[in-house]
Amino acid sequence: MGIPKELAGPTSYEVMWDLSKSFLTQGYSVIADSPAFWPIIEQTGHGLAREMGASYFMIETQCPDSELDRRLATRERLVSNPEVRYEGTRPGTREPSRARLILDSTRPVDELVELALEYIGLKAAS
């Protein structure tokens, strides 16, 4: 759309938070799918949940580097998607500070959904 990414990126997060607040106000649950390596993402999400009286959970998916590289090389890439995995730590990023569930995304999706539901308390542990 010709919008510089320096503006488009932060603006898209503001829209995500505004929509999340709107849905929470209406009584819906919200899943905000976003990398949480920038402290402001985790802080804003947790703050919004606290403000709205909602529970806040973090779930991270991981897979071996070789699988990640294969997925990145074979997917249909959008303009907003990186072409390859970023090596090292990006300036200003860090590991999330909150406890989180870490899932191996090479496992079947139905298993991952069950584990996630158990983690957030919507399904009794087997």
Side-chain angles (χ1 to χ4, degrees):
M1 301 290 308
I3 301 170
K5 66 181 172 180
E6 298 79 25
L7 294 175
T11 301
S12 66
Y13 281 104
E14 290 302 317
V15 169
M16 179 178 72
W17 299 127
D18 286 349
L19 288 171
S20 296
K21 185 172 184 174
S22 175
F23 288 126
L24 289 168
T25 299
Q26 296 173 61
Y28 292 102
S29 296
V30 173
I31 297 173
D33 182 5
S34 174
F37 296 110
W38 286 268
I40 191 69
I41 301 301
E42 183 179 348
Q43 292 163 2
T44 304
H46 188 248
L48 178 61
R50 187 174 46 249
E51 174 189 341
M52 301 303 297
S55 299
Y56 182 77
F57 301 95
M58 288 182 71
I59 300 175
E60 179 179 343
T61 56
Q62 295 180 352
C63 65
D65 289 346
S66 59
E67 176 61 11
L68 182 56
D69 290 339
R70 185 195 67 75
R71 290 175 181 179
L72 289 171
T74 59
R75 73 176 177 184
E76 185 175 327
R77 191 171 71 85
L78 301 173
V79 174
S80 61
N81 296 146
E83 200 166 327
V84 294
R85 180 170 43 90
Y86 185 83
E87 296 290 339
T89 304
R90 293 181 183 176
T93 66
R94 59 146 174 80
E95 285 289 313
S97 63
R98 294 186 57 81
R100 63 198 183 278
L101 174 64
I102 299 176
L103 299 173
D104 177 354
S105 68
T106 62
R107 294 176 65 181
V109 171
D110 58 333
E111 287 180 25
L112 301 179
V113 169
E114 280 201 38
L115 290 168
L117 290 174
E118 285 176 16
Y119 180 69
I120 65 175
L122 292 179
K123 181 177 186 292
S126 302

